[in-house]
Amino acid sequence: MADIATYDLNDGTTIPAIGFGTYPLKGEAGTSAIVSALETGYRLIDTAVNYENEFEVGEAIRRSGLPRDEVLVASKIPGRHHAYDDAITSVRESLDRLGLEHTDLHLIHWPNPSQGTYVEAWRALVQLQKDGLVRSIGVSNFTEEHLRRIIDDTGVAPAVNQVELHPRFPQEHMRGVHEQMGIRTEAWSPMGKRRAPLDEDVVTAAARSHDVSPGQVILRWHVQLGSLPIPKSADPQRQAQNLDVFGFELTDAEMSAISGLAEDDGRLFGGDPETHEEM
């Protein structure tokens, strides 16, 4: 397997170019699946308060025997915890469940615009970063307007914005916004789930050309876009396959053809923004 590439973030840290998603892995089976992912080579593990599996993530890291500084753990503040003090408490409670002294990346799970207090949550993350309880801070499911508001308020740009992104929904506008602002694009639902274009001719043709799976083609498409995908799988063979996307390169024509699968429906994200599951 090729070495995992990394991205430089705007706060001077680095992050693997692919991560491991943990929803809905729970219980002993969930812990075992996360241990498998770590043994396979994943070094960025993505969880959230709303996934209700932070304990399993922490336990998997301990069972793996890996040094703490080799594993990056990302978690998320839910929409109900956006008031400043609630956000501080939310992060501290996440650390207790994880059994860790700090997280490596902490996100606001979504802006929860009807409540409208996401700026308070962002101020809390800025302070928690200063206090050393979180290494990098970011957001998820934020629009350009939401991003500009928190940056204007604090002078601090998120390191990442995690949004739904896949070939049928390539988020060209938001990727451009992120590039302008120095924010790394992370992708949840990187395959597209039930809408995954695994059988599309342009994907299967690229898979045959490079002797890889259609899923590997889609994840490689993400990497070449500069997107950081967070695929999910409890199957060890699929976990390894999903991680092995750095030993081949799609052509410009293949990239364009896959991006051409986009469906223009005007969304930022679909389904439940706090579980990253499509309805």
Side-chain angles (χ1 to χ4, degrees):
M1 181 179 296
D3 291 337
I4 302 171
T6 60
Y7 292 131
D8 294 327
L9 300 181
N10 61 17
D11 58 8
T13 64
T14 60
I15 193 170
I18 191 168
F20 182 73
T22 63
Y23 182 87
L25 302 175
K26 293 183 184 181
E28 181 58 31
T31 301
S32 296
I34 300 165
V35 170
S36 171
L38 290 166
E39 291 175 342
T40 299
Y42 289 88
R43 291 297 180 265
L44 170 61
I45 308 296
D46 182 84
T47 183
V49 170
N50 280 358
Y51 300 172
E52 298 180 345
N53 65 2
E54 289 173 309
F55 174 83
E56 285 87 340
V57 169
E59 178 64 16
I61 293 170
R62 288 184 286 276
R63 288 191 195 177
S64 76
L66 290 167
R68 171 65 183 94
D69 60 3
E70 289 188 14
V71 182
L72 277 64
V73 178
S75 194
K76 308 178 189 75
I77 298 171
R80 61 188 180 277
H81 293 164
H82 282 185
Y84 184 89
D85 289 342
D86 290 346
I88 297 285
T89 299
S90 181
V91 172
R92 291 184 178 276
E93 290 178 347
S94 286
L95 292 173
D96 287 343
R97 287 187 291 270
L98 288 161
L100 301 176
E101 294 183 354
H102 72 275
T103 55
D104 301 281
L105 177 63
H106 224 100
L107 312 179
I108 299 173
H109 209 147
W110 76 303
N112 196 8
S114 64
Q115 180 176 311
T117 53
Y118 60 86
V119 173
E120 288 190 41
W122 185 245
R123 291 174 186 162
L125 281 179
V126 171
Q127 186 59 51
L128 287 160
Q129 186 181 40
K130 292 177 181 177
D131 294 341
L133 294 182
V134 299
R135 189 186 72 156
S136 295
I137 56 176
V139 296
S140 184
N141 300 310
F142 271 45
T143 65
E144 179 179 1
E145 177 185 359
H146 299 140
L147 292 171
R148 293 195 185 282
R149 185 176 173 196
I150 61 173
I151 295 170
D152 288 347
D153 181 83
T154 62
V156 178
V160 306
N161 185 17
Q162 190 182 107
V163 296
E164 180 185 4
L165 196 164
H166 46 77
R168 298 200 195 278
F169 190 44
Q171 292 274 24
E172 184 174 358
H173 172 72
M174 286 307 301
R175 286 191 288 112
V177 169
H178 294 162
E179 185 173 358
Q180 178 188 28
M181 295 181 174
I183 298 169
R184 175 59 55 183
T185 302
E186 271 195 335
W188 63 265
S189 193
M191 300 290 189
K193 291 185 68 63
R194 287 180 294 277
R195 303 166 65 233
L198 297 172
D199 296 327
E200 292 282 357
D201 289 345
V202 295
V203 175
T204 58
R208 288 192 300 271
S209 176
H210 297 281
D211 194 23
V212 296
S213 72
Q216 286 173 295
V217 168
I218 293 173
L219 292 172
R220 180 65 199 182
W221 172 83
H222 279 276
V223 170
Q224 288 181 221
L225 284 182
S227 161
L228 194 169
I230 310 288
K232 312 169 184 179
S233 178
D235 178 75
Q237 184 176 357
R238 182 63 58 82
Q239 290 174 354
Q241 199 174 69
N242 287 346
L243 192 61
D244 190 12
V245 296
F246 300 101
F248 68 100
E249 185 170 350
L250 299 174
T251 66
D252 290 345
E254 289 167 337
M255 287 292 295
S256 296
I258 295 167
S259 296
L261 296 170
E263 299 171 350
D264 184 14
D265 54 13
R267 301 168 305 153
L268 173 65
F269 49 82
D272 184 344
E274 290 226 26
T275 63
H276 294 172
E277 282 296 287
E278 295 172 332
M279 293 178 180

